[in-house]
Amino acid sequence: MAARWDPDTLFPAQNSTAGCAPLDPYARWLLASRGRGLAQWHNWNQDSEQDFELQILACIADPKDLDKLANGKQAGVTLPTAYLAAVAEGSQRSAYFTARICGAAGFNWLRKNPLKLSWKVALPLRDAQRAAQASPKGRYGPTRDQADMQALNRVEALFPSRQPLDSPAQYKAEGLIAVIDFGCPFLNDRFADGLGTRLVGVWDQGQGPSRNHKDPARPAGWPWQKPSQFGNGRELGPTALNALRGFACKPNAAEETLIYRGLDYLIAYADPRRRVWYATHGGMVLDLVGGRHDPLNPQADADSAARAKLLFVDLPTLTAADSAGSSLGAHVLDGVRYAMAAADPEFPLVVVISYGNGAGPHDGSSLIERALDDLLRLRGGDKLAIVLAAGNARADAGHVRRRVARERSAMLRLQVVESDTTDTFVEIWYPKQGSALELRVRSPGLVWSPWIVQGQEVLMRSTEAPDEFVALLRHDREVPNGSGAMALLALAPTTQPADVEGALAEAGLWEVELRLSGSASEPVEMDAWIERDDPVRGSRTERTRFIDCDDSDAHNTLSGMATGALTYKAAGYNRETGQPTFYSSLPAIDRADPLLVLVACEEDMLQPTVAAAATRSSDVFRMNGTSVAAPVLARRLYNQMVEERQRGKRGGPPTTGLPQPTAQPTAQLSAVLKEQGLVKPFETD
């Protein structure tokens, strides 16, 4: 593990020149580490025309210029056609979009960046479980015996024609609840009514429409098809979902899990026996927000949410497994646009997202937060609501706030754990107005890096493998994923993953020292976050964390996606005690957010969970966390949006007291929600 900071790599950062669009610092690390930290590392070959593919989340200065990227006009760049459409009737296009960059031509265009895009890499990083257990061939490997992957199709008689089936975009639901999550048990009785399934669409973003079939189009007997407005994944529309639901309800029909297996769906990705998940995160979220009965009010009459049409966007397996959320923003934005296309713009649409990430500016200026706020402004807050989980990071020691003054530097102390098979990232943010900082890093081997200022970076080279780097320290005044100045510390794994070799970083105490730069005199308040990196499930390995944290550092721990101006955020509390849960993330002490509310996510102290749908209709599962709080809040929001629309048609005054994503939001809650005891204003302790 011997390594040294390489003075030959100390050079001005690529985006330090005035007038250039800022570069994503993570792109520099991926290039320096040769993409070893990616879940799809073997495809990271920037010199190949066929294998190389990069997904980005981006913002363009003028939305009209999106036409220059559409229809293959730019070699190596693929833009989903959904982003060419106006967000709402009479409105304009959004400036935020996703794109795929393929081969050397696309990558060279992106590096030159003639349209001055603000962009960030949106590729999944290595999942800790897979990185620890993967092998080149066998149980978890990418070259697993293809015979194990063949799906027994038990429903082919339902779809004899090769003609395309209908799409959710053709449905235009009059009132829609959309969930962006992982794993949709669409055959479950909780999502049906007397007319059939209430689901109008399922978009699996991670698989092609006919993975087990030679015909690239939709083969006979295979209901999955390619979404018309997006170039990736597969979808089931209303006709296919109703046919599958009807088939599952027939006497002597195949059991639900056999139908899922026949459709090559909900298969546990690490199971060679192709067993179907007993329960999924997404299935529980869908039940909590739109199930036939409200899990937290089972005795109540069916509400509007229990009758609403539902849509599910299924995150790719690699994205769902990547706790860092590196590719989450791009898939979330695609999912929201997909839901908007399937909903009648004159009726309520509520989107719930119970995934999140740890790092980011945490001030609403990240690309995905700006993109969601932009959609809410263009569509209108009375027609669209987006609800996010606040996060469960309060007790993770993943955030610190420090003050840097002329007479006193600040020291961040980071305990990097052993047996970490994935990359580690630390982001340090501070206002780019006023005084600037310079910083240096010391490794556990007591080797200091040189001091670097804004516009510089330095790499740590392995002495055992001189052509490989194990750490990057980069400092930028301008970055695409936030409005502040940012320094990034990136570290290679401390333990060798099973399926890819490379030099390792040292485990132990890493220290980052910050001081005022040059003649600067004004003190600087800075915040640092460790990007979320969940340990291997079932192990005793802890997360990498800051040491010497105090109580105030538990604040400003919201998900990096949950600080936007117009999105709702759900923190969690125990219904019996009325107190916030010990893990529910806190906002910044100095930044009030009227759209952040406390929501019941635990029933009582004896069972600090909530029961909701498992995969099969006969089963239930229990879960807690702000992943529960978000759909509980979204359900109440949808009910009130429907009530407000009905009241408006009758000519009555609006009565809702929920905070609204408009110019002057309020924290007063409606009497209905107070009576239910499920949602209340957030007050910092």
Side-chain angles (χ1 to χ4, degrees), residues 267-289:
I267 308 297
Y269 65 80
D271 190 343
R273 295 173 60 188
R274 296 183 53 76
R275 285 175 291 190
V276 171
W277 295 104
Y278 176 83
T280 65
H281 190 273
M284 296 200 67
V285 170
L286 187 63
D287 190 28
L288 287 161
V289 68

Side-chain angles (χ1 to χ4, degrees), residues 62-137:
D62 186 351
K64 295 179 181 178
D65 287 339
L66 290 174
D67 290 320
K68 298 178 181 178
L69 301 179
N71 304 318
K73 294 181 180 179
Q74 171 58 51
V77 181
T78 303
L79 175 73
T81 58
Y83 293 104
L84 300 179
V87 171
E89 186 176 353
S91 72
Q92 62 184 19
R93 295 173 179 171
S94 174
Y96 298 88
F97 65 98
T98 66
R100 293 184 180 273
I101 311 299
C102 302
F107 189 64
N108 289 335
W109 175 87
L110 185 63
R111 286 199 287 194
K112 294 177 181 177
N113 200 0
L115 296 179
K116 291 185 170 54
L117 304 178
S118 293
W119 63 273
K120 70 179 295 291
V121 173
L123 291 176
L125 298 175
R126 302 184 61 75
D127 164 42
Q129 183 84 3
R130 282 193 163 188
Q133 297 181 333
S135 62
K137 181 175 175 60

Side-chain angles (χ1 to χ4, degrees), residues 518-564:
S519 60
S521 58
E522 292 297 321
V524 175
E525 293 278 351
M526 48 73 52
D527 289 270
W529 289 271
I530 303 171
E531 184 56 274
R532 182 180 171 191
D533 184 11
D534 290 344
V536 174
R537 292 178 288 278
S539 74
R540 296 185 179 181
T541 304
E542 296 183 352
R543 289 187 178 98
T544 292
R545 56 177 52 214
F546 290 113
I547 61 175
D548 301 332
C549 293
D550 55 37
D551 291 342
S552 65
D553 292 326
H555 289 267
N556 213 3
T557 52
L558 295 177
S559 163
M561 293 178 56
T563 59

Side-chain angles (χ1 to χ4, degrees), residues 341-417:
D344 188 315
E346 297 303 315
F347 288 80
L349 166 62
V350 173
V351 182
V352 58
I353 304 158
S354 283
Y355 274 70
N357 62 327
H362 289 76
D363 60 4
S365 65
S366 70
L367 275 174
I368 182 58
E369 290 174 310
R370 284 152 42 200
L372 296 180
D373 283 350
D374 190 50
L375 294 178
L376 285 160
R377 290 189 188 95
L378 293 174
R379 185 75 167 233
D382 58 336
K383 303 291 196 322
L384 171 64
I386 299 174
V387 183
L388 297 158
N392 304 321
R394 179 178 183 175
D396 288 349
H399 164 259
V400 292
R401 169 171 284 192
R402 297 291 182 265
R403 186 173 186 267
V404 185
R406 171 56 59 190
E407 68 280 2
R408 186 175 183 180
S409 65
M411 186 75 78
L412 311 182
R413 307 179 73 201
L414 180 74
Q415 186 66 36
V416 179
V417 299

Side-chain angles (χ1 to χ4, degrees), residues 172-258:
K172 298 298 180 185
E174 297 181 352
L176 183 65
I177 296 174
V179 171
I180 302 175
D181 214 285
F182 179 71
C184 179
F186 53 80
L187 297 175
N188 197 300
D189 290 341
R190 295 174 184 244
F191 312 127
D193 56 23
L195 301 177
T197 182
R198 292 162 49 218
L199 279 147
V200 301
V202 174
W203 178 25
D204 178 3
Q205 294 181 321
Q207 299 291 352
S210 52
R211 185 161 65 107
N212 293 324
H213 299 266
K214 295 180 180 180
D215 191 342
R218 186 183 73 80
W222 193 244
W224 293 104
Q225 59 185 1
K226 188 175 182 178
S228 59
Q229 292 185 305
F230 292 88
N232 62 294
R234 56 183 182 173
E235 71 176 359
L236 295 173
T239 299
L241 289 166
N242 270 306
L244 292 166
R245 168 69 188 171
F247 177 73
C249 293
K250 288 183 177 180
N252 302 319
E255 199 269 343
E256 291 174 18
T257 55
L258 295 180

